[in-house]
């Protein structure tokens, strides 16, 4: 027998849906007249795809972008086109066709397989052509793609409504490589147009490019993809062009409060030894909840509005902190790992800097046992 009891979660990721909607409005203003594709891959970067998708849809996103078929199938009933941005595996073609997913065409061979399946199912499939302008990951090389793309026109039951590429270096401002990618894509579009082939949906900009390279959202580009910016974050090297609000806060509780003697060791590997008698707290969150190991002996959390340093190595389920700055703290008190408390603030970027990474990594690493709570 399985006993299921609803208990208050020890660790909560609070997602402010009002701020999310405001971010969508701001991004739409930034990219206009291009339309906005909301990129919701990896469970909306770990925030929870269904509530996030409903908000961005209602705030005016034109379509959704995902990485793979299961992510697409979660969204097809929400009333917006859902495009797979990578590629389809052979066993994924049939369900993609059946459920009306916008299919990526990485080459003529894949286009033929999707066409054959569409004929078999007696369906018409919307598709987007994938062009490699220098990312080196997926798609037809731009310099030689025209012949294959023109041949796709003859395939039955396909509607070639989109064409897209991806920038590899757009987080760098004034980057010549990115400018070369834009030029290469435009040259291909012109070559296809000369043969009478155009696309209503043309896109290359993701979050980095739409900030650093505004030309990537202007004609001939008619769509802009946005992922991390939806949630109020940027790549650390990007020059922000919008006022966005972070939409998440990560909170837990103090599980224990003790006074340990001078010389006591803290945590695995005895990474920290107390220099004096110290009031310490143990918080009910660890690396399984998304706290990076890089915070060990370096990071901070907020207790009673005060910054409290992490002591020793972060464990899977618990983290030890100094309470010298919050001497009145008691078990059960709220602990803010990321967010604002009192006049102090800890950001995902603070964590990312310590880990030597970016906000994408931190968001996607928040554990599955962390409850997502949605503020409306």
């Amino acid at each position: 027998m399985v006993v299921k009891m609803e208990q208050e979660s020890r660790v909560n990721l609070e997602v402010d849906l009002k701020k999310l909607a405001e971010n969508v409005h701001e991004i739409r203003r930034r990219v206009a007249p291009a339309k906005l594709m909301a990129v919701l891959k990896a469970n909306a970067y770990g925030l929870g795809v269904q509530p996030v998708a409903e908000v961005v849809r209602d705030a005016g996103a034109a379509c959704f972008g995902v990485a793979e078929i299961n992510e697409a199938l979660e969204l097809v009933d929400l009333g917006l086109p859902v495009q797979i941005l990578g590629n389809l595996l052979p066993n994924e073609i049939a369900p993609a066709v059946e459920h009306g997913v916008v299919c990526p065409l990485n080459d003529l061979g894949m286009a033929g397989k999707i066409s054959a399946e569409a004929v078999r199912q007696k369906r018409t499939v919307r598709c987007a052509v994938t062009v490699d302008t220098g990312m080196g990951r997926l798609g037809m090389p731009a310099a030689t793609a025209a012949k294959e793309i023109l041949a796709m026109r003859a395939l039955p039951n396909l509607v070639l409504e989109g064409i897209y590429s991806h920038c590899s270096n757009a987080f760098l401002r004034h980057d010549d490589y990115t400018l070369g990618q834009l030029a290469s894509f435009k040259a291909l579009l012109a070559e296809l147009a000369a043969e009478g082939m155009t696309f209503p949906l043309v896109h290359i900009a993701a979050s980095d490019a739409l900030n650093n390279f505004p030309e990537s959202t202007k004609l001939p580009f008619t769509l802009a993809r946005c992922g991390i910016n939806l949630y109020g974050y940027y790549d650390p090297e990007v020059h922000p062009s919008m006022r966005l609000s972070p939409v998440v806060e990560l909170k837990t509780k103090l599980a224990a409060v003790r006074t340990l003697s001078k010389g006591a060791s803290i945590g695995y590997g005895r990474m920290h030894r107390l220099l004096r008698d110290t009031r310490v707290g143990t918080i009910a969150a660890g690396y399984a909840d998304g706290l990076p190991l890089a915070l060990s002996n370096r990071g901070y959390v907020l207790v009673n509005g005060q910054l409290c340093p992490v002591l020793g190595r972060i464990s899977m389920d618990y983290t030890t902190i100094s309470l010298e700055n919050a001497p009145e703290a008691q078990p059960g008190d709220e602990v803010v790992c990321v967010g604002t408390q009192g006049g102090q603030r800890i950001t995902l970027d603070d964590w990312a800097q310590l880990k030597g990474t970016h906000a994408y990594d931190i968001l996607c690493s928040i554990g599955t046992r962390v409850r997502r709570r949605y503020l409306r």
Side-chain angles (χ1 to χ4, degrees):
M1 182 178 67
V2 176
V3 178
K4 187 173 182 179
M5 300 177 64
E6 284 295 325
Q7 297 291 329
E8 181 180 355
S9 178
R10 288 182 164 208
V11 191
N12 292 284
L13 183 72
E14 294 184 352
V15 183
D16 191 322
L17 298 179
K18 183 178 179 181
K19 289 181 179 178
L20 175 63
E22 291 170 351
N23 287 347
V24 173
H25 291 307
E26 175 69 6
I27 297 163
R28 287 182 62 210
R29 284 192 291 269
R30 169 66 185 76
V31 303
K35 296 179 180 180
L36 175 65
M37 174 189 283
V39 178
L40 304 181
K41 58 188 179 180
N43 195 29
Y45 289 48
L47 277 63
V49 72
Q50 284 292 329
V52 168
E54 290 172 5
V55 169
V56 299
R57 175 198 63 190
D58 295 346
C63 52
F64 301 132
V66 296
E68 50 95 43
I69 185 65
N70 291 306
E71 294 176 346
L73 296 181
E74 288 187 85
L75 297 173
V76 292
D77 292 333
L78 291 183
L80 292 183
V82 184
Q83 180 182 337
I84 292 176
L85 292 169
N87 201 1
L88 287 166
L89 299 178
N91 63 298
E92 296 169 349
I93 294 174
V97 170
E98 178 184 353
H99 293 282
V101 174
V102 180
C103 294
L105 305 182
N106 276 260
D107 53 45
L108 184 58
M110 175 57 76
K113 292 176 182 177
I114 295 171
S115 172
E117 182 61 30
V119 170
R120 189 188 72 81
Q121 293 190 29
K122 298 182 173 61
R123 299 176 186 271
T124 299
V125 182
R126 291 178 293 181
C127 300
V129 176
T130 313
V131 177
D132 184 3
T133 56
M135 182 71 179
R137 189 169 61 186
L138 289 169
M140 293 164 282
T144 58
K147 183 177 180 180
E148 281 192 85
I149 296 171
L150 290 167
M152 292 175 184
R153 287 192 294 188
L155 295 173
N157 294 46
L158 300 185
V159 177
L160 305 182
E161 67 175 17
I163 185 168
Y164 68 107
S165 190
H166 190 54
C167 296
S168 60
N169 240 31
F171 54 86
L172 299 176
R173 291 185 76 193
H174 313 299
D175 177 62
D176 288 339
Y177 192 82
T178 300
L179 293 174
Q181 287 191 260
L182 295 173
S184 176
F185 197 21
K186 289 178 181 179
L188 174 62
L189 294 171
E191 185 178 358
L192 294 171
E195 297 292 335
M197 190 173 191
T198 59
F199 301 84
L201 300 176
V202 181
H203 47 112
I204 193 170
S207 292
D208 292 348
L210 70 86
N211 282 281
N212 281 347
F213 295 88
E215 61 267 44
S216 67
T217 65
K218 309 305 178 187
L219 290 174
F221 305 110
T222 59
L223 188 67
R225 306 186 299 270
C226 193
I228 196 69
N229 286 176
L230 294 173
Y231 316 118
Y233 303 102
Y234 301 88
D235 186 280
E237 296 189 71
V238 160
H239 180 72
S241 65
M242 301 170 287
R243 292 187 177 182
L244 304 176
S245 299
V247 303
V248 302
E249 293 195 340
L250 184 65
K251 298 179 179 180
T252 185
K253 303 282 188 180
L254 267 174
V257 175
R258 300 180 299 157
T259 298
L260 297 183
S261 300
K262 175 182 177 181
S265 298
I266 305 291
Y268 289 113
R270 304 179 67 201
M271 284 183 66
H272 189 92
R273 296 187 68 184
L274 299 178
L275 299 178
R276 54 187 172 274
D277 293 353
T278 305
R279 186 171 171 82
V280 302
T282 301
I283 69 172
Y287 60 75
D289 305 293
L291 276 65
L293 276 173
L295 269 61
S296 299
N297 255 349
R298 301 167 69 199
Y300 292 84
V301 298
L302 290 168
V303 181
N304 292 348
Q306 302 298 317
L307 287 167
C308 297
V310 172
L311 303 179
R313 184 185 298 175
I314 291 174
S315 303
M316 179 181 289
D317 312 303
Y318 294 102
T319 300
T320 304
I321 62 173
S322 168
L323 290 174
E324 289 186 301
N325 294 337
E328 304 303 318
Q330 297 296 327
D333 284 356
E334 181 182 78
V335 177
V336 174
C337 300
V338 171
T340 302
Q341 192 183 64
Q344 300 284 355
R345 185 182 183 192
I346 298 173
T347 69
L348 284 184
D349 289 327
D350 294 331
W351 282 16
Q353 187 174 16
L354 288 174
K355 189 177 177 181
T357 184
H358 44 57
Y360 304 73
D361 178 24
I362 303 296
L363 270 183
C364 293
S365 298
I366 294 174
T368 55
R369 72 180 175 191
V370 175
R371 182 170 296 173
R372 276 66 174 168
R373 297 181 61 238
Y374 300 98
L375 309 181
R376 301 179 186 273

